[in-house]
Amino acid sequence: MSERAVTISEVARHAGVAVSTVSYVLSGKRAISADTRRRVLDSVRVLGYHPNAGARALASKRANVIALVLPLRVGMHVPVLMQFATSVVTAARQYDHDVLLLTADEGSDGLRRAAASALVDGLVLMDVELHDSRVPLLKDLAEPSVLIGFPADSAGLTCVDLDFARAGALCVEHLAERGHTEVALLGAPSVVYDRGTGFARRTREGFTAAVADTGLKGVALSCEENFDQVSTVIAELLDTRPGLSGLVVHNEAAVNHVLGALRQHGRRVPDDVAVVAICPDDIAERSSPPLTSVLIPAEEVGRQAVRLLMDKLEGHAVPEDTLLQPRLTVRDST
Protein backbone atom coordinates (compact mmCIF):
# COMPACT_ATOMS: atom_id res chain seq x y z
CA MET A 1 0.00 0.00 0.00
CA SER A 2 1.18 3.56 -0.62
CA GLU A 3 1.50 6.16 2.14
CA ARG A 4 -1.71 7.86 0.99
CA ALA A 5 -4.47 7.47 3.56
CA VAL A 6 -7.31 5.16 2.51
CA THR A 7 -10.71 6.90 2.37
CA ILE A 8 -14.04 5.61 3.58
CA SER A 9 -15.25 5.68 -0.06
CA GLU A 10 -12.55 3.17 -1.00
CA VAL A 11 -13.60 0.90 1.87
CA ALA A 12 -17.24 1.14 0.69
CA ARG A 13 -16.32 0.27 -2.91
CA HIS A 14 -14.16 -2.66 -1.79
CA ALA A 15 -16.97 -4.03 0.41
CA GLY A 16 -19.67 -3.32 -2.18
CA VAL A 17 -21.74 -1.14 0.15
CA ALA A 18 -22.66 2.53 0.56
CA VAL A 19 -20.39 4.97 2.39
CA SER A 20 -23.12 5.44 4.99
CA THR A 21 -23.13 1.69 5.66
CA VAL A 22 -19.40 1.74 6.41
CA SER A 23 -19.99 4.68 8.74
CA TYR A 24 -22.77 2.84 10.56
CA VAL A 25 -20.65 -0.29 10.94
CA LEU A 26 -17.75 1.69 12.39
CA SER A 27 -19.89 3.90 14.63
CA GLY A 28 -22.35 1.28 15.80
CA LYS A 29 -25.16 3.84 15.43
CA ARG A 30 -27.42 1.46 13.48
CA ALA A 31 -27.92 -2.28 13.36
CA ILE A 32 -26.19 -3.83 10.34
CA SER A 33 -26.48 -7.46 9.28
CA ALA A 34 -23.66 -9.76 10.39
CA ASP A 35 -22.68 -10.56 6.79
CA THR A 36 -22.45 -6.89 5.77
CA ARG A 37 -20.59 -6.01 8.95
CA ARG A 38 -18.06 -8.79 8.30
CA ARG A 39 -17.49 -7.62 4.69
CA VAL A 40 -16.93 -4.03 5.82
CA LEU A 41 -14.50 -4.99 8.59
CA ASP A 42 -12.64 -7.31 6.18
CA SER A 43 -12.26 -4.39 3.77
CA VAL A 44 -11.08 -2.12 6.59
CA ARG A 45 -8.38 -4.67 7.44
CA VAL A 46 -7.33 -5.44 3.84
CA LEU A 47 -7.11 -1.79 2.75
CA GLY A 48 -5.52 -0.57 5.96
CA TYR A 49 -8.18 2.00 6.76
CA HIS A 50 -6.76 4.18 9.56
CA PRO A 51 -6.75 2.03 12.73
CA ASN A 52 -7.29 4.93 15.15
CA ALA A 53 -10.50 6.05 13.47
CA GLY A 54 -11.69 2.46 13.23
CA ALA A 55 -10.80 1.62 16.83
CA ARG A 56 -12.57 4.66 18.16
CA ALA A 57 -15.68 4.01 16.13
CA LEU A 58 -15.77 0.29 16.83
CA ALA A 59 -15.70 1.07 20.53
CA SER A 60 -18.80 3.22 19.88
CA LYS A 61 -17.45 6.00 22.04
CA ARG A 62 -17.50 9.70 21.33
CA ALA A 63 -14.67 12.07 22.09
CA ASN A 64 -17.17 14.83 22.96
CA VAL A 65 -14.91 17.18 21.02
CA ILE A 66 -15.51 18.93 17.71
CA ALA A 67 -12.82 20.50 15.55
CA LEU A 68 -13.09 24.11 14.44
CA VAL A 69 -10.90 24.35 11.33
CA LEU A 70 -9.89 27.98 11.00
CA PRO A 71 -6.69 28.45 8.98
CA LEU A 72 -5.15 31.81 9.85
CA ARG A 73 -4.24 33.39 6.53
CA VAL A 74 -3.10 36.77 5.30
CA GLY A 75 -5.95 39.27 4.93
CA MET A 76 -8.17 37.79 7.65
CA HIS A 77 -9.37 40.04 10.46
CA VAL A 78 -8.57 37.99 13.55
CA PRO A 79 -10.82 39.84 16.08
CA VAL A 80 -13.92 39.06 14.02
CA LEU A 81 -12.80 35.47 13.43
CA MET A 82 -12.46 35.08 17.18
CA GLN A 83 -16.08 36.17 17.58
CA PHE A 84 -17.05 33.21 15.40
CA ALA A 85 -14.71 30.91 17.32
CA THR A 86 -16.05 32.06 20.70
CA SER A 87 -19.60 31.46 19.50
CA VAL A 88 -18.77 27.92 18.37
CA VAL A 89 -17.05 27.15 21.69
CA THR A 90 -19.96 28.55 23.73
CA ALA A 91 -22.56 26.66 21.71
CA ALA A 92 -20.57 23.42 21.86
CA ARG A 93 -20.40 23.60 25.66
CA GLN A 94 -24.20 23.61 25.74
CA TYR A 95 -23.99 20.16 24.17
CA ASP A 96 -21.20 19.04 26.56
CA HIS A 97 -18.62 19.21 23.80
CA ASP A 98 -15.24 20.91 23.80
CA VAL A 99 -13.63 22.47 20.72
CA LEU A 100 -10.26 21.70 19.20
CA LEU A 101 -9.10 24.78 17.25
CA LEU A 102 -7.03 23.93 14.16
CA THR A 103 -5.38 27.03 12.70
CA ALA A 104 -2.70 25.62 10.38
CA ASP A 105 -3.36 26.01 6.65
CA GLU A 106 -3.05 22.29 5.84
CA GLY A 107 -6.02 21.80 3.53
CA SER A 108 -7.24 18.22 3.07
CA ASP A 109 -4.27 16.70 4.89
CA GLY A 110 -5.15 18.51 8.10
CA LEU A 111 -8.78 17.38 7.90
CA ARG A 112 -7.78 13.79 7.26
CA ARG A 113 -5.44 13.73 10.25
CA ALA A 114 -8.03 15.33 12.53
CA ALA A 115 -10.70 12.85 11.48
CA ALA A 116 -8.35 9.87 11.87
CA SER A 117 -6.90 10.92 15.21
CA ALA A 118 -9.80 9.77 17.41
CA LEU A 119 -9.80 13.26 18.90
CA VAL A 120 -12.98 14.67 17.36
CA ASP A 121 -16.55 13.62 16.59
CA GLY A 122 -17.17 16.18 13.84
CA LEU A 123 -15.79 19.27 12.12
CA VAL A 124 -16.82 22.89 11.60
CA LEU A 125 -14.89 24.62 8.80
CA MET A 126 -14.38 28.34 8.29
CA ASP A 127 -12.79 30.57 5.63
CA VAL A 128 -14.47 28.60 2.87
CA GLU A 129 -13.32 29.27 -0.69
CA LEU A 130 -15.51 28.98 -3.77
CA HIS A 131 -13.33 26.13 -5.06
CA ASP A 132 -12.14 24.80 -1.73
CA SER A 133 -9.71 21.89 -1.88
CA ARG A 134 -11.10 20.52 1.39
CA VAL A 135 -14.64 20.01 0.08
CA PRO A 136 -14.25 16.69 -1.81
CA LEU A 137 -12.78 15.02 1.28
CA LEU A 138 -15.67 16.11 3.51
CA LYS A 139 -18.04 13.89 1.55
CA ASP A 140 -15.79 10.87 2.17
CA LEU A 141 -15.16 11.29 5.89
CA ALA A 142 -17.19 9.25 8.36
CA GLU A 143 -17.20 12.27 10.69
CA PRO A 144 -19.98 14.78 9.98
CA SER A 145 -19.10 18.34 9.07
CA VAL A 146 -20.61 21.80 8.75
CA LEU A 147 -19.18 24.70 6.75
CA ILE A 148 -19.45 28.31 7.87
CA GLY A 149 -19.53 29.67 4.34
CA PHE A 150 -20.49 28.33 0.92
CA PRO A 151 -18.32 26.87 -1.84
CA ALA A 152 -19.45 27.35 -5.42
CA ASP A 153 -21.09 23.91 -5.35
CA SER A 154 -22.57 23.12 -1.95
CA ALA A 155 -24.51 19.99 -3.02
CA GLY A 156 -24.18 17.22 -0.46
CA LEU A 157 -22.69 19.55 2.16
CA THR A 158 -24.15 21.34 5.17
CA CYS A 159 -23.45 25.09 5.01
CA VAL A 160 -24.51 28.09 7.07
CA ASP A 161 -23.65 31.77 6.68
CA LEU A 162 -24.96 35.29 6.31
CA ASP A 163 -26.41 35.92 2.85
CA PHE A 164 -23.51 38.16 1.84
CA ALA A 165 -24.81 38.77 -1.68
CA ARG A 166 -28.00 40.16 -0.19
CA ALA A 167 -25.95 42.15 2.34
CA GLY A 168 -24.03 43.90 -0.44
CA ALA A 169 -27.27 44.65 -2.28
CA LEU A 170 -28.98 45.95 0.86
CA CYS A 171 -26.24 48.55 1.38
CA VAL A 172 -26.65 49.83 -2.17
CA GLU A 173 -30.43 49.96 -1.84
CA HIS A 174 -30.14 51.97 1.37
CA LEU A 175 -27.86 54.52 -0.30
CA ALA A 176 -30.15 54.73 -3.32
CA GLU A 177 -33.12 55.42 -1.03
CA ARG A 178 -31.10 58.24 0.52
CA GLY A 179 -30.71 59.84 -2.91
CA HIS A 180 -27.13 58.87 -3.72
CA THR A 181 -26.35 58.30 -7.38
CA GLU A 182 -22.71 57.19 -7.35
CA VAL A 183 -21.28 54.70 -4.87
CA ALA A 184 -18.23 52.52 -4.29
CA LEU A 185 -17.49 49.29 -2.46
CA LEU A 186 -14.24 49.09 -0.51
CA GLY A 187 -13.98 45.37 0.03
CA ALA A 188 -11.56 42.84 1.44
CA PRO A 189 -7.79 42.91 0.80
CA SER A 190 -6.85 41.74 -2.68
CA VAL A 191 -5.36 38.48 -1.39
CA VAL A 192 -8.80 37.47 -0.05
CA TYR A 193 -10.37 37.88 -3.50
CA ASP A 194 -7.40 36.13 -5.11
CA ARG A 195 -8.01 33.08 -2.92
CA GLY A 196 -11.64 33.02 -4.06
CA THR A 197 -12.98 33.44 -0.53
CA GLY A 198 -16.73 33.01 -0.76
CA PHE A 199 -18.06 35.77 1.50
CA ALA A 200 -15.94 38.48 -0.13
CA ARG A 201 -16.80 37.44 -3.69
CA ARG A 202 -20.52 37.20 -2.90
CA THR A 203 -20.66 40.64 -1.28
CA ARG A 204 -19.04 42.13 -4.36
CA GLU A 205 -21.47 40.30 -6.64
CA GLY A 206 -24.45 41.53 -4.61
CA PHE A 207 -23.15 45.09 -4.63
CA THR A 208 -22.52 45.06 -8.39
CA ALA A 209 -25.93 43.56 -9.20
CA ALA A 210 -27.74 46.10 -7.02
CA VAL A 211 -25.86 48.99 -8.62
CA ALA A 212 -27.14 47.83 -12.00
CA ASP A 213 -30.67 47.21 -10.70
CA THR A 214 -30.98 50.65 -9.09
CA GLY A 215 -29.41 52.52 -12.00
CA LEU A 216 -26.60 53.94 -9.86
CA LYS A 217 -23.02 54.43 -10.95
CA GLY A 218 -20.64 52.29 -8.94
CA VAL A 219 -17.27 50.63 -8.65
CA ALA A 220 -16.06 47.75 -6.48
CA LEU A 221 -12.46 47.83 -5.25
CA SER A 222 -10.31 45.70 -2.96
CA CYS A 223 -9.06 47.56 0.10
CA GLU A 224 -5.89 46.88 2.07
CA GLU A 225 -5.64 47.24 5.83
CA ASN A 226 -3.19 50.07 6.54
CA PHE A 227 -3.96 53.77 6.61
CA ASP A 228 -1.61 54.89 3.82
CA GLN A 229 -3.06 52.44 1.29
CA VAL A 230 -6.63 53.25 2.32
CA SER A 231 -5.92 56.98 2.04
CA THR A 232 -4.49 56.47 -1.46
CA VAL A 233 -7.60 54.59 -2.60
CA ILE A 234 -9.90 57.27 -1.13
CA ALA A 235 -7.88 60.04 -2.81
CA GLU A 236 -8.11 58.31 -6.20
CA LEU A 237 -11.85 57.75 -5.81
CA LEU A 238 -12.52 61.37 -4.92
CA ASP A 239 -10.28 62.54 -7.76
CA THR A 240 -11.69 60.33 -10.50
CA ARG A 241 -15.32 60.23 -9.34
CA PRO A 242 -16.39 63.73 -8.32
CA GLY A 243 -20.02 62.57 -8.08
CA LEU A 244 -19.21 59.87 -5.51
CA SER A 245 -21.24 60.35 -2.34
CA GLY A 246 -21.69 56.86 -0.87
CA LEU A 247 -19.25 54.22 0.35
CA VAL A 248 -19.88 50.61 1.33
CA VAL A 249 -17.04 49.19 3.44
CA HIS A 250 -16.68 45.43 3.85
CA ASN A 251 -13.33 45.32 5.59
CA GLU A 252 -13.42 45.51 9.38
CA ALA A 253 -9.72 46.36 9.72
CA ALA A 254 -10.08 49.31 7.33
CA VAL A 255 -13.29 50.90 8.65
CA ASN A 256 -11.64 53.50 10.88
CA HIS A 257 -8.93 54.16 8.28
CA VAL A 258 -11.66 54.97 5.75
CA LEU A 259 -13.26 57.48 8.13
CA GLY A 260 -9.84 58.99 8.91
CA ALA A 261 -8.91 59.26 5.24
CA LEU A 262 -12.19 61.01 4.42
CA ARG A 263 -11.46 63.58 7.14
CA GLN A 264 -7.92 63.95 5.84
CA HIS A 265 -9.29 64.78 2.40
CA GLY A 266 -11.79 67.30 3.75
CA ARG A 267 -14.92 65.18 3.45
CA ARG A 268 -17.52 65.11 6.24
CA VAL A 269 -19.55 62.00 7.08
CA PRO A 270 -22.46 61.93 6.31
CA ASP A 271 -22.74 65.49 4.89
CA ASP A 272 -20.33 64.94 2.00
CA VAL A 273 -19.99 61.15 1.90
CA ALA A 274 -22.31 58.58 3.45
CA VAL A 275 -20.71 55.36 4.75
CA VAL A 276 -22.32 51.95 5.26
CA ALA A 277 -20.31 49.08 6.71
CA ILE A 278 -20.76 45.31 6.76
CA CYS A 279 -19.33 44.44 10.16
CA PRO A 280 -20.15 43.40 13.74
CA ASP A 281 -22.23 45.90 15.71
CA ASP A 282 -19.46 46.69 18.19
CA ILE A 283 -17.23 48.01 15.40
CA ALA A 284 -20.05 50.10 13.91
CA GLU A 285 -21.09 51.53 17.27
CA ARG A 286 -17.55 52.51 18.34
CA SER A 287 -16.78 54.37 15.11
CA SER A 288 -16.95 58.15 14.89
CA PRO A 289 -19.57 58.80 13.70
CA PRO A 290 -21.38 55.54 14.55
CA LEU A 291 -21.84 53.66 11.29
CA THR A 292 -24.97 52.53 9.55
CA SER A 293 -24.20 48.84 9.14
CA VAL A 294 -25.28 45.37 8.14
CA LEU A 295 -24.52 43.08 11.05
CA ILE A 296 -22.16 40.14 10.60
CA PRO A 297 -23.99 37.81 13.00
CA ALA A 298 -21.02 35.79 14.27
CA GLU A 299 -22.86 34.59 17.36
CA GLU A 300 -25.90 33.33 15.46
CA VAL A 301 -23.84 31.71 12.69
CA GLY A 302 -21.64 29.86 15.18
CA ARG A 303 -24.65 28.70 17.18
CA GLN A 304 -26.42 27.44 14.05
CA ALA A 305 -23.29 25.62 12.85
CA VAL A 306 -22.96 23.72 16.12
CA ARG A 307 -26.68 22.89 16.24
CA LEU A 308 -26.53 21.48 12.71
CA LEU A 309 -23.44 19.43 13.54
CA MET A 310 -25.03 18.00 16.69
CA ASP A 311 -28.16 17.08 14.75
CA LYS A 312 -25.99 15.24 12.22
CA LEU A 313 -24.15 13.42 15.01
CA GLU A 314 -27.51 12.17 16.24
CA GLY A 315 -28.45 10.98 12.76
CA HIS A 316 -31.11 13.63 12.18
CA ALA A 317 -31.78 15.12 8.74
CA VAL A 318 -30.61 18.72 8.36
CA PRO A 319 -31.00 21.30 5.58
CA GLU A 320 -28.04 21.59 3.23
CA ASP A 321 -28.18 25.39 3.07
CA THR A 322 -28.90 27.81 5.91
CA LEU A 323 -28.69 31.45 4.80
CA LEU A 324 -29.24 34.13 7.43
CA GLN A 325 -30.95 37.23 6.09
CA PRO A 326 -29.03 40.49 6.60
CA ARG A 327 -30.30 43.25 8.87
CA LEU A 328 -29.35 46.91 8.30
CA THR A 329 -29.24 49.30 11.27
CA VAL A 330 -29.29 53.02 10.46
CA ARG A 331 -26.89 55.17 12.48
CA ASP A 332 -25.24 58.58 12.06
CA SER A 333 -23.06 57.85 9.02
CA THR A 334 -25.96 57.97 6.54
Side-chain angles (χ1 to χ4, degrees):
M1 295 294 293
S2 70
E3 292 300 316
R4 183 182 66 81
V6 175
T7 69
I8 194 172
S9 290
E10 290 171 316
V11 173
R13 282 195 295 271
H14 189 273
V17 298
V19 170
S20 59
T21 301
V22 177
S23 177
Y24 293 140
V25 168
L26 295 179
S27 68
K29 289 180 182 177
R30 291 190 184 179
I32 301 294
S33 72
D35 180 62
T36 300
R37 179 180 172 82
R38 188 189 70 253
R39 291 209 323 272
V40 169
L41 294 180
D42 284 347
S43 295
V44 167
R45 187 187 68 255
V46 169
L47 296 178
Y49 189 59
H50 199 289
N52 285 347
R56 171 175 66 85
L58 287 170
S60 297
K61 292 180 180 177
R62 285 190 183 173
N64 280 3
V65 176
I66 62 174
L68 175 59
V69 185
L70 175 55
L72 296 180
R73 299 165 171 161
V74 175
M76 301 173 71
H77 190 54
V78 174
V80 172
L81 294 178
M82 289 304 103
Q83 290 186 16
F84 282 96
T86 299
S87 175
V88 169
V89 170
T90 302
R93 287 308 310 148
Q94 294 174 354
Y95 293 91
D96 294 323
H97 276 65
D98 290 311
V99 175
L100 175 66
L101 181 61
L102 304 177
T103 59
D105 189 5
E106 297 181 297
S108 300
D109 291 339
L111 291 188
R112 189 177 285 109
R113 278 199 299 275
S117 68
L119 292 176
V120 301
D121 299 321
L123 306 103
V124 175
L125 280 71
M126 289 188 61
D127 196 40
V128 176
E129 298 171 1
L130 292 177
H131 303 287
D132 201 304
S133 64
R134 301 170 297 179
V135 163
L137 177 62
L138 293 179
K139 300 176 183 180
D140 285 343
L141 292 177
E143 289 74 10
S145 60
V146 174
L147 288 76
I148 295 179
F150 283 76
D153 180 6
S154 61
L157 303 170
T158 305
C159 305
V160 57
D161 208 355
L162 176 68
D163 186 343
F164 278 99
R166 179 65 194 135
L170 189 58
C171 294
V172 174
E173 291 165 6
H174 174 71
L175 291 171
E177 289 167 1
R178 288 290 197 271
H180 298 275
T181 58
E182 188 164 1
V183 298
L185 169 68
L186 298 180
S190 56
V191 66
V192 176
Y193 290 108
D194 292 344
R195 282 199 301 264
T197 306
F199 72 85
R201 291 280 190 94
R202 287 192 167 92
T203 300
R204 186 171 65 184
E205 290 165 4
F207 171 90
T208 303
V211 164
D213 290 343
T214 55
L216 272 61
K217 295 179 181 177
V219 62
L221 304 171
S222 60
C223 182
E224 304 309 317
E225 298 179 331
N226 68 70
F227 180 80
D228 288 342
Q229 288 174 303
V230 171
S231 182
T232 298
V233 170
I234 294 290
E236 291 175 356
L237 275 173
L238 297 174
D239 228 18
T240 59
R241 295 178 173 268
L244 180 75
S245 63
L247 286 178
V248 177
V249 183
H250 186 201
N251 183 331
E252 296 90 348
V255 163
N256 286 320
H257 295 331
V258 169
L259 295 173
L262 288 170
R263 286 192 293 269
Q264 181 186 60
H265 294 290
R267 299 303 198 277
R268 298 166 299 166
V269 176
D271 299 331
D272 301 316
V273 178
V275 179
V276 184
I278 302 174
C279 67
D281 277 344
D282 61 331
I283 292 176
E285 291 165 354
R286 289 201 308 265
S287 297
S288 181
L291 293 173
T292 292
S293 67
V294 170
L295 170 68
I296 293 181
E299 182 176 349
E300 176 64 15
V301 169
R303 185 165 57 244
Q304 291 267 21
V306 172
R307 179 186 61 79
L308 289 164
L309 185 61
M310 293 302 159
D311 283 348
K312 293 180 76 170
L313 278 168
E314 295 300 325
H316 302 317
V318 299
E320 289 191 352
D321 298 344
T322 302
L323 272 177
L324 304 184
Q325 289 307 299
R327 186 192 80 226
L328 184 141
T329 301
V330 179
R331 299 189 181 90
D332 295 348
S333 65
T334 58

